[in-house]
Amino acid sequence: MSGLDQAVIAGVFEHPTRWAPDKTQYQLCAEAARGALADAGLTIADVDGFCTAGVGPIGIMTLAEHLNLKPRFHDSTNIGGSSFVAHVLHAAAAIAAGLCETVLIVYASTAASERFAVGTGGLSLGDAPDQFEAPFGPTVLNAYALVAQRHMHEFGTTAEQLAEIAVTMRRHAGLNPHAKYREPLCVADVLASRVVSSPLHLLDCCVISDGAGAIVVTSAVRARDLAKPPVRLLGGSESLCHTAMGVRDLTDMAAKESGPRALAMAGVRHDDIDLCMLYDSFTITVLMTLENLGFCAKGEGGAFVQGGRIGLGGALPINTDGGGLSSNHPGMRGIFLVIEAARQLRGEGGARQVADCAVALCHGTGGMLGLRHSGVTLVLGHD
C-alpha cells in the first residue's frame, strides 16, 4: 500500500469572491478555513496539522497565529502554483506517520485588488541561475510564450488549437456562477485579442483575481464519523524540471515524471480518468501537460484538444470550473484544482457535473516552463 489510503479529503471550500478590496489575505484565509471545516463537519479545535504557502511576509507562522492554531505538524513548502497539490500529499504522509490526524490546507490572495500583475515581473538576480537570464529581461509570460513558439515550430501546433482550450474553459465558466468571466467566447475572439507575447494572445493567458480556498485532510478512521463521504487519495507524485545544466527540451515538463508514477501508484490507466484538473496559467500549459502526462503523444496535443474532447460531455473533461483562464487565478491556483475535483467526485458539480465521475486527476505546475518548474500529480477517487 502507498500509505495514502490512510488519509482522505474530508472537506473543501472555495471562497466565492473574485474581488475583495475590503479584506486582507488573512481574512480570506479564515473565511475559507471556516467553510472547509464546516463542509467536513469539523471545527478548528480538531486541526492539529497546518499547510500554507504564499500568504503574508512570514507565512505560516503569522497565519497560524491569526487562526489561533498550534499545530503538531506544519508545512510551508512553496513550489509555486503546484504547492497545494503537494500539501495534500504531505498531509497524507504526516497522517500515515502518526504526526497528526487532521490537516488544514489554506491559501488566499488579493492580487487583483492590489493591482498585482501576476506573471509580468522580471527575474531576480538573487539566484545563481537567474544571473544568466535576468539581464535579458524574461518574465513568466515570456517563458511560456517561448515554449509555445517552440511547440508550434517543432510540431505545427496552431494558434487556433490553443484558442480551443480557452474557449472550452470559458464554456465551463459559464456554468459556474462564481467564475470571473462567463461571457461566451469563440476561437475568433481569442485570435482577435491582442498579442501579449508572441504567439500568446491576451485570452491565452489566465485571469488575475482575488480568491481563497481551503482543504481538510484527515485520517480515514476519523472520516468514518463524518457526515459527507470522503474523497480517497489513490496516488500522487512530485517532480521538478529545470535547465539540466544546459541540456533541455523546451517541450518537456515535470509532469512527464510525476504523471506515470502517480497513475502507477493509483493502479489506474489514462482511460480510467473521468476528469482532469490541470493548471492552466496559459493555454500552452494545458496542451503540454496533456502530452507530458501521457494522454497523447508529444506533438499531438493540438489535435487532442479539438473536437470537444476536453469539454463537458467529451472523453476527458478538463477544468470544469472554468480554470485559471476564466474562473479565478489569484496567483497560485493549485488548491482550486483539488477543490473542484473533490466536488465533482462527491457529485456536487451542479450544472457542470461530470456524469459518473469516479476518478479524477489533478496536476499542478509551478514556476516557468522552459526554465525551471515543479509538477505535482494527484489521483483522487470517491469513497
Side-chain angles (χ1 to χ4, degrees):
M1 301 298 287
S2 67
L4 292 183
D5 58 304
Q6 297 184 45
V8 297
I9 294 174
V12 295
F13 182 80
E14 179 182 347
H15 203 293
T17 190
R18 301 300 188 261
W19 174 254
D22 58 327
K23 296 181 186 291
T24 67
Q25 283 182 293
Y26 297 102
Q27 287 175 287
L28 290 174
C29 279
E31 292 173 12
R34 186 181 299 119
L37 287 165
D39 186 55
L42 297 169
T43 70
I44 196 74
D46 295 304
V47 175
D48 57 358
F50 186 45
C51 299
T52 192
V55 179
I58 50 176
I60 198 163
M61 289 182 284
T62 50
L63 185 53
E65 181 178 15
H66 184 76
L67 298 175
N68 198 27
L69 284 174
K70 293 185 178 179
R72 292 193 289 151
F73 166 79
H74 48 79
D75 180 8
S76 59
T77 296
N78 190 336
I79 48 175
S82 62
S83 300
F84 309 100
V85 188
H87 288 167
V88 175
L89 293 177
H90 299 179
I95 290 168
L99 298 178
C100 57
E101 186 176 41
T102 300
V103 181
L104 172 66
I105 304 168
V106 67
Y107 170 68
S109 167
T110 51
S113 54
E114 291 178 11
R115 305 294 199 277
F116 177 61
V118 178
T120 59
L123 301 177
S124 166
L125 287 171
D127 296 325
D130 291 344
Q131 295 179 24
F132 299 96
E133 297 157 3
F136 300 97
T139 64
V140 174
L141 170 60
N142 297 151
Y144 282 78
L146 176 64
V147 168
Q149 281 192 353
R150 181 62 195 179
H151 204 280
M152 288 179 165
H153 170 77
E154 191 166 345
F155 303 115
T157 307
T158 67
E160 287 80 6
Q161 290 170 331
L162 292 178
E164 189 72 34
I165 297 170
V167 170
T168 304
M169 299 309 97
R170 181 63 64 87
R171 188 178 305 123
H172 294 167
L175 302 173
N176 179 0
H178 301 303
K180 183 167 184 175
Y181 294 113
R182 303 181 66 203
E183 302 81 6
L185 276 183
C186 65
V187 169
D189 294 328
V190 179
L191 300 183
S193 64
R194 63 185 175 87
V195 173
V196 290
S197 185
S198 181
L200 297 179
H201 297 78
L202 180 64
L203 293 177
D204 284 304
C205 307
C206 65
V207 305
I208 299 175
S209 71
D210 295 344
I215 301 167
V216 177
V217 181
T218 193
S219 69
V221 173
R222 180 71 179 87
R224 293 173 188 164
D225 298 328
L226 304 181
K228 288 191 175 182
V231 172
R232 297 169 56 210
L233 311 180
L234 304 180
S237 182
E238 304 175 44
S239 189
L240 297 173
C241 188
H242 47 71
T243 58
M245 302 300 288
V247 181
R248 57 175 163 162
D249 180 343
L250 289 175
T251 62
D252 273 351
M253 290 181 67
K256 183 178 180 179
E257 297 176 348
S258 65
R261 290 197 297 251
L263 289 168
M265 183 185 293
V268 299
R269 301 171 301 178
H270 292 90
D271 288 346
D272 297 318
I273 305 299
D274 300 309
L275 164 71
C276 268
M277 293 299 301
L278 306 181
Y279 208 101
D280 57 342
S281 46
F282 303 91
T283 51
I284 187 63
T285 317
V286 174
L287 188 148
M288 281 187 31
T289 302
L290 286 166
E291 292 180 351
N292 279 269
L293 287 174
F295 284 99
C296 60
K298 186 175 284 190
E300 295 179 1
F304 187 88
V305 301
Q306 292 183 303
R309 181 183 275 112
I310 64 171
L312 279 167
L316 186 67
I318 291 176
N319 297 353
T320 47
D321 62 340
L325 288 167
S326 284
S327 180
N328 72 333
H329 195 296
M332 298 166 69
R333 186 179 144 75
I335 198 165
F336 304 107
L337 308 180
V338 181
I339 291 170
E340 176 68 7
R343 290 188 294 211
Q344 288 283 346
L345 289 166
R346 297 196 307 196
E348 299 172 352
R352 62 183 191 274
Q353 178 64 45
V354 174
D356 303 317
C357 188
V359 182
L361 182 147
C362 304
H363 182 83
T365 302
M368 292 180 283
L369 298 190
L371 294 177
R372 56 200 63 85
H373 69 272
S374 64
V376 185
T377 309
L378 177 64
V379 183
L380 302 174
H382 65 56
D383 190 51

